Amino acid sequence: VQLQASGGGLVQAGGSLRLSCAASGRTFSTYVMGWFRQAPGKEREFVAAIAWDEVMTNYAASVKGRFTISRDNAKNTVYLQMNSLKPEDTAVYYCAAGRSYTSSDYSYDHWGQGTQVTVSS
């Protein structure tokens, strides 16, 4: 599966952005989808994941209550709605596809190219 992330940009603190990740291929619905992010000088970290069923979700503590992951298997797309953004959310955001419902990036086999999110104070 090939992934294409979009929707990043510059936003003020407290604002919102919606990231999208479009997938190619007919097996999208069989993958767990995740969002990760990497800030300058920091390691890549888990943000959120959603299982095949479009229902089961998991979030990093730092974004829980502010971010919402969702997917539309009919459209081969996963979304990340980001509200109440903070300057510390600034990072390159990556979508990923894997076979295990996990927060470990080692379990994700396919990665998108990343989209920059910058939150100004």
Side-chain angles (χ1 to χ4, degrees):
V1 61
Q2 292 184 323
L3 304 173
Q4 179 76 34
S6 62
L10 173 64
V11 63
Q12 288 188 332
S16 299
L17 280 175
R18 188 194 196 200
L19 305 184
S20 298
C21 177
S24 65
R26 291 176 287 182
T27 60
F28 174 78
S29 63
T30 67
Y31 283 94
V32 173
M33 297 301 298
W35 285 97
F36 292 78
R37 66 186 182 186
Q38 187 166 22
K42 295 188 177 181
E43 292 187 354
R44 186 167 59 193
E45 64 175 359
F46 169 77
V47 176
I50 186 166
W52 314 266
D53 60 3
E54 301 183 352
V55 175
M56 195 159 58
T57 58
N58 186 28
Y59 296 92
S62 59
V63 307
K64 200 167 188 178
R66 300 187 298 121
F67 291 11
T68 302
I69 188 171
S70 61
R71 67 189 294 168
D72 186 336
N73 288 339
K75 295 183 178 180
N76 280 13
T77 303
V78 62
Y79 306 96
L80 186 68
Q81 177 67 43
M82 305 185 295
N83 299 329
S84 302
L85 282 161
K86 304 175 181 180
E88 51 264 42
D89 294 319
T90 296
V92 177
Y93 283 71
Y94 299 90
C95 59
R99 295 299 188 182
S100 298
Y101 183 64
T102 175
S103 60
S104 171
D105 58 356
Y106 290 106
S107 297
Y108 290 81
D109 305 310
H110 307 278
W111 292 82
Q113 85 289 0
T115 184
Q116 176 71 47
V117 172
T118 303
V119 184
S120 63
S121 57

